[in-house]
C-alpha cells in the first residue's frame, strides 16, 4: 500500500470517528415531571346533558416521491357523552343575612368510551396513508371543546342551573332550620 | 478555413479568433471526458448511481404530507336534573396490561399491549338523599348522608401511550378500544382502594359543614354528620 493510500485511510477513519462522536452528542434529553395531587372537590352538579358527537376526519394524500400511490382517507367517529353544569360550593358567600349563589359553570365534559363507533375508508395497498392516533385524539378533543363552548355561551341554561343550585341549597338549609331567615341572591 | 472564418480573420478581430480557439478546446476536452467515462464501466455505474441518488434525495426533500381536516357535528339529546355533590378529586395514572386470551389454562400469559394513561375520579354523594334529624330541646342536628360513590371518572385520551407486544393489534383507530379498557382498569383500581373512600368521607363532612356555616354562626347550632357505610 502506498503512502498516499495509507494517509487517505487514516483520514477516513478519523472522519468516521468524528461523525460517531457528533451523533452521540446531538441526542436531546427532554425529561418531564408532572406531579398532580389529591384534592378536595366542592362541586354541586345540578344538570346533566347527554350529547351525541360525530367527528369526520379527512386526510388528503401527500405530494412527492415518498407519497406516491397514496390515497385520500376519511374516518368517521361517533360517540355519546355527558356535560355537567353546576356550581363550586367554595364560592358561596355569606354576606350578613344573604347567601350569594355563585354563577353556574361547566363542571365536566365526559365522553362515554362504551359508545364509541368508528369506521375508516380503505387504505392504499402500495403506500399507506395512515390516520395517526394523534389525529384521532385531536378530533375528539375538538368535538368535546365544541360542546363545552356551546354550553358556556348558552346563558339561558347556565341561569337555570344557577337557580336549581340555589333551590337545593335553600331546601337543605331550611330542612335543618326552617326559621333561619336567610335570603338568597345570585352573584 | 471556410469563407466565414476567412472574413472574421480578415476583419482583424483578434478577440473573436481567441474566443473561437477557446470554444474548440472546450469541445475537445468534453469529448475526451465522455470517451473516458464510457470507456470505464465502473465509472459509468457509479455516475448513474450518483444521479439516481440525487434525484431520490430531491424527491424526498420536496415531498409534502397530506393535509388533515376535522368536521364536527354535535347534538344534545337528553337533559336530566341531578344533585351530585362531589367532594374528592383523585388524579390517577397507571399502566394497563391487556392480556391475550389463553387457549389453555397452563399457557404462559401473553400481552397484546401495554398502555399508560392518566385520568381522574371524583367521589361524592347524592345531595338530595341527605336526611336531617333535629333533636328536640337541644341545639344538635344530625345529618345522615348516603353512601359515598364515584360521581365522575375520566381517562384523558391525550395521555394514552401504547406499546404493542403483538403488532397485529397496532391498527388504525385502536386507541379508541384502548381508552375503553383503560377506563375500566382505572375504575376497578379506585373502587378497590378503601383509603380513597375514607378520605372522601372526611371531605364530605367538611363540605356539609361549610354549607351550613351561615346557620352554625347565626343560630349556634351543633351539626353532627354521619355517612352511611
Amino acid at each position: 500500500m502506498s503512502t498516499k493510500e495509507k494517509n487517505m485511510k487514516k483520514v477516513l477513519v478519523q472522519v468516521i470517528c468524528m461523525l460517531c462522536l457528533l451523533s452521540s452528542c446531538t441526542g436531546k434529553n427532554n425529561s418531564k415531571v408532572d406531579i398532580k395531587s389529591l384534592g378536595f372537590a366542592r362541586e354541586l352538579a345540578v344538570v346533566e346533558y347527554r350529547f351525541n358527537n360525530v367527528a369526520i376526519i379527512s386526510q388528503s394524500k401527500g405530494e412527492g416521491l415518498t407519497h406516491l400511490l397514496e390515497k385520500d382517507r376519511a374516518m368517521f367517529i361517533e360517540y355519546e357523552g355527558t356535560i355537567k353544569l353546576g356550581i363550586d360550593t367554595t364560592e358561596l358567600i355569606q354576606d350578613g343575612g344573604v347567601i350569594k349563589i355563585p354563577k353556574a359553570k361547566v363542571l365536566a365534559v365526559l365522553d362515554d368510551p362504551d359508545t364509541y363507533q368508528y369506521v375508516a375508508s380503505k387504505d392504499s395497498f402500495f403506500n399507506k396513508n395512515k390516520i395517526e392516533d394523534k389525529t384521532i385524539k385531536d378530533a375528539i378533543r375538538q368535538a368535546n371543546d365544541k360542546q363545552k363552548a356551546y354550553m358556556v355561551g348558552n346563558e339561558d341554561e347556565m341561569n337555570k342551573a344557577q337557580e336549581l343550585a340555589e333551590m337545593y341549597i335553600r331546601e337543605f338549609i331550611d330542612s335543618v332550620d326552617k326559621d333561619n331567615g336567610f335570603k338568597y341572591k345570585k352573584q | 478555413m471556410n469563407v466565414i472564418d476567412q472574413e472574421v480573420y480578415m476583419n482583424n478581430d483578434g478577440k473573436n479568433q481567441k474566443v473561437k480557439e477557446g470554444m474548440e478546446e472546450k469541445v475537445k476536452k468534453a469529448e475526451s471526458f465522455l470517451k473516458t467515462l464510457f470507456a470505464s464501466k465502473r465509472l459509468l455505474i457509479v455516475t448513474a448511481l450518483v444521479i439516481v441518488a440525487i434525484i431520490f434525495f430531491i424527491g424526498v426533500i420536496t415531498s409534502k404530507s397530506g393535509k388533515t381536516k376535522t368536521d364536527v357535528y354535535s347534538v344534545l339529546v337528553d337533559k336530566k336534573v341531578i344533585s351530585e355533590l362531589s367532594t374528592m378529586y383523585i388524579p390517577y395514572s397507571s399502566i394497563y396490561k391487556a392480556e391475550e386470551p389463553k387457549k389453555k389454562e397452563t399457557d404462559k400469559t401473553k400481552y397484546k399491549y401495554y398502555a399508560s394513561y392518566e385520568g381522574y375520579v371524583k367521589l361524592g354523594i347524592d345531595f338530595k338523599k341527605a336526611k336531617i334529624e333535629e333533636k328536640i330541646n337541644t341545639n344538635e342536628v344530625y345529618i345522615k348522608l348516603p353512601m359515598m360513590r364515584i360521581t365522575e371518572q375520566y381517562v384523558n385520551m391525550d395521555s394514552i401511550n401504547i406499546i404493542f407486544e403483538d403488532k397485529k393489534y397496532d391498527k388504525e383507530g385502536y386507541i379508541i378500544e384502548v381508552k375503553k379498557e383503560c377506563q375500566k382498569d382505572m375504575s376497578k383500581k379506585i373502587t378497590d382502594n378503601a383509603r380513597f373512600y375514607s378520605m372522601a368521607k372526611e371531605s364530605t363532612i367538611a363540605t356539609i359543614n361549610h354549607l351550613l356555616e351561615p346557620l352554625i354562626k347565626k343560630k349556634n347550632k351543633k351539626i353532627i354528620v354521619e355517612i352511611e357505610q
Side-chain angles (χ1 to χ4, degrees), chain A residues 36-67 73 84 89 92 94 108 110-111 113 116 118 120 130-131 133 135-137 139-143 146-147 150-151 157 164 168 171-173 175-177 179-182, chain B residues 56 59-60 63-91 118 120 122 127-128 130 132 134 141 143 151-152 154 157-158 160 170 172-177 179-180 183 196 199 203 206-208 210-212 214-215 218-219 221:
Chain A
K36 295 180 175 72
S37 55
L38 287 171
F40 296 127
R42 303 261 168 97
E43 292 173 349
L44 178 61
V46 296
V47 186
E48 186 180 274
Y49 294 88
R50 192 83 182 155
F51 64 80
N52 184 279
N53 274 357
V54 174
I56 298 173
I57 301 170
S58 308
Q59 185 166 292
S60 62
K61 60 188 175 191
E63 293 168 0
L65 197 67
T66 51
H67 298 284
R73 302 288 318 289
K84 291 186 183 180
T89 60
L92 276 167
Q94 188 207 348
L110 310 166
D111 46 281
Y116 272 100
Y118 61 98
K130 190 182 175 191
I131 295 175
D133 286 349
T135 308
I136 295 169
K137 289 176 185 178
I140 291 167
R141 192 187 331 109
Q142 204 177 319
K146 190 178 175 182
Q147 277 292 357
Y150 167 74
M151 203 45 80
E157 292 299 329
L164 205 50
Y168 282 158
E171 278 178 6
F172 185 66
I173 293 177
S175 64
V176 175
D177 184 351
D179 304 316
N180 57 75
F182 282 117
Chain B
F56 184 76
V60 166
S63 290
K64 282 184 204 173
S65 295
K67 289 183 185 169
T68 305
K69 193 180 84 156
T70 307
D71 294 311
V72 173
Y73 301 94
S74 306
V75 237
L76 292 176
V77 295
D78 196 16
K79 179 179 172 179
K80 200 167 71 171
V81 170
I82 57 173
S83 55
E84 274 174 8
L85 181 67
S86 298
T87 56
M88 190 83 197
Y89 169 84
I90 303 162
E118 275 181 33
Y120 70 84
K122 288 183 189 171
F127 189 54
K128 288 224 89 177
I132 320 289
E134 195 169 355
V141 178
I143 299 174
T151 52
E152 209 172 293
Y154 188 68
M157 197 181 240
D158 286 336
I160 297 174
D170 187 5
E172 210 169 51
Y174 200 71
I175 189 162
I176 291 170
E177 303 298 330
K179 180 175 161 143
K180 289 183 197 178
Q183 188 116 346
F196 289 139
M199 287 171 75
S203 177
T207 305
I208 297 296
H210 173 76
L211 275 173
L212 295 174
L215 205 62
K218 192 178 179 185
K219 293 258 179 130
K221 292 251 181 213

Side-chain angles (χ1 to χ4, degrees), chain B residues 101-112:
Chain B
K102 284 184 187 176
K103 285 175 189 169
K104 295 176 199 171
E105 271 193 44
T106 49
D107 284 347
K108 195 181 169 185
T109 307
K110 284 184 184 173
Y111 296 100
K112 294 190 257 188

Side-chain angles (χ1 to χ4, degrees), chain A:
Chain A
M1 208 185 279
S2 68
T3 320
K4 197 179 176 183
E5 279 174 357
K6 276 185 191 170
N7 286 338
M8 273 191 72
K9 255 196 171 175
K10 270 188 199 171
V11 168
L12 198 64
V13 166
Q14 280 168 5
V15 165
I16 290 168
C17 288
M18 234 170 57
L19 282 170
C20 289
L21 260 171
L22 277 170
S23 65
S24 67
C25 291
T26 52
K28 287 183 184 173
N29 181 14
N30 291 324
S31 300
K32 186 177 137 185
V33 176
D34 191 7
I35 300 172
K36 295 180 175 72
S37 55
L38 287 171
F40 296 127
R42 303 261 168 97
E43 292 173 349
L44 178 61
V46 296
V47 186
E48 186 180 274
Y49 294 88
R50 192 83 182 155
F51 64 80
N52 184 279
N53 274 357
V54 174
I56 298 173
I57 301 170
S58 308
Q59 185 166 292
S60 62
K61 60 188 175 191
E63 293 168 0
L65 197 67
T66 51
H67 298 284
L68 217 55
L69 302 174
E70 267 185 10
K71 269 179 165 181
D72 289 336
R73 302 288 318 289
M75 184 184 262
F76 301 158
I77 306 170
E78 185 187 3
Y79 64 97
E80 290 182 11
T82 52
I83 304 178
K84 291 186 183 180
L85 300 189
I87 61 164
D88 183 341
T89 60
T90 58
E91 291 173 6
L92 276 167
I93 298 170
Q94 188 207 348
D95 188 9
V98 179
I99 295 174
K100 291 180 182 175
I101 308 292
K103 282 186 180 175
K105 50 177 142 182
V106 173
L107 297 178
V109 180
L110 310 166
D111 46 281
D112 185 350
D114 291 331
T115 61
Y116 272 100
Q117 292 181 75
Y118 61 98
V119 65
S121 61
K122 277 190 182 168
D123 206 349
S124 165
F125 179 78
F126 301 102
N127 198 359
K128 303 286 178 197
N129 183 15
K130 190 182 175 191
I131 295 175
E132 299 291 345
D133 286 349
K134 187 184 175 299
T135 308
I136 295 169
K137 289 176 185 178
D138 287 346
I140 291 167
R141 192 187 331 109
Q142 204 177 319
N144 289 348
D145 286 349
K146 190 178 175 182
Q147 277 292 357
K148 185 177 178 179
Y150 167 74
M151 203 45 80
V152 166
N154 193 332
E155 271 189 47
D156 196 33
E157 292 299 329
M158 299 300 260
N159 286 336
K160 283 180 186 171
Q162 190 183 23
E163 284 163 14
L164 205 50
E166 183 192 315
M167 185 188 85
Y168 282 158
I169 291 166
R170 189 191 305 121
E171 278 178 6
F172 185 66
I173 293 177
D174 286 351
S175 64
V176 175
D177 184 351
K178 285 176 198 169
D179 304 316
N180 57 75
F182 282 117
K183 286 181 184 168
Y184 297 83
K185 201 178 168 184
K186 288 181 187 176
Q187 280 180 25

Side-chain angles (χ1 to χ4, degrees), chain B residues 153-168:
Chain B
Q153 57 181 332
Y154 188 68
V155 166
N156 186 355
M157 197 181 240
D158 286 336
S159 71
I160 297 174
N161 293 298
I162 312 167
I163 297 172
F164 287 99
E165 279 284 304
D166 191 342
K167 288 291 173 190
K168 76 177 182 207

Side-chain angles (χ1 to χ4, degrees), chain B residues 29-41 43-44:
Chain B
K29 276 186 183 172
E31 277 174 3
S32 163
F33 172 75
L34 284 168
K35 273 183 193 168
T36 319
L37 190 70
F38 284 99
S40 164
K41 276 186 190 171
L43 200 54
L44 189 63

